[in-house]
């Protein structure tokens, strides 16, 4: 049975997904267009096994869905608004990166 996640759960799931650079690349690729795992693995330059693990994480987080297409499976963002959210986050991160407020950010790894 599907349930609606709370706001905190949604943010935590999104954060967990974005905590890995490869999953970020995967989400950005799916933001462009739905794709089959073999095409995603080739585009990202990783093994299909490694890709499968990351897709499973993103599915568990509720961010991507698997759509059967004949004998193959295509992956896409679970909600088109996730693409907009990724764009907003990328823009915000670039803006913060350009104007760091913590002088020791590189040393401390904080900001």
């Amino acid at each position: 049975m599907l349930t609606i996640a709370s706001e905190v759960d949604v943010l935590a799931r999104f954060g967990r997904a974005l905590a890995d650079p490869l999953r970020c690349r995967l989400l950005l690729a799916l933001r462009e267009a739905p794709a089959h795992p073999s095409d995603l693995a080739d585009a990202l330059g990783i093994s299909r096994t490694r890709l499968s693990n990351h897709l499973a994480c993103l599915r568990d987080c509720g961010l991507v869905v698997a759509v059967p297409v004949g004998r193959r499976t295509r992956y896409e963002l679970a909600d088109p608004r996730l693409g907009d959210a990724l764009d907003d986050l990328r823009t915000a991160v670039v803006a913060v990166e350009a104007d760091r407020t913590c002088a020791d950010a590189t040393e401390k790894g904080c900001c």
Side-chain angles (χ1 to χ4, degrees):
M1 175 164 138
L2 291 176
T3 60
I4 303 299
S6 73
E7 291 178 356
V8 171
D9 288 339
V10 169
L11 290 174
R13 287 169 184 255
F14 205 56
R16 189 175 325 126
L18 295 176
D20 184 278
L22 187 53
R23 287 193 297 269
C24 289
R25 291 176 55 208
L26 186 51
L27 286 169
L28 290 172
L30 291 173
R31 180 183 112 254
E32 295 300 320
H36 293 94
S38 59
D39 298 330
L40 289 166
D42 291 344
L44 298 175
I46 61 171
S47 71
R48 291 181 187 181
T49 302
R50 189 169 176 209
L51 177 79
S52 178
N53 291 334
H54 286 287
L55 284 172
C57 176
L58 293 173
R59 274 194 324 269
D60 291 345
C61 288
L63 299 178
V64 301
V65 293
V67 179
V69 180
R71 294 183 351 198
R72 298 179 72 192
T73 301
R74 183 187 71 221
Y75 283 85
E76 59 189 49
L77 295 178
D79 185 322
R81 292 175 291 184
L82 288 171
D84 296 331
L86 289 166
D87 288 338
D88 289 344
L89 283 172
R90 280 186 323 108
T91 303
V93 170
V94 169
V96 172
E97 180 71 23
D99 184 27
R100 285 192 170 175
T101 55
C102 178
D104 300 325
T106 304
E107 262 178 43
K108 294 179 183 176
C110 56
C111 303

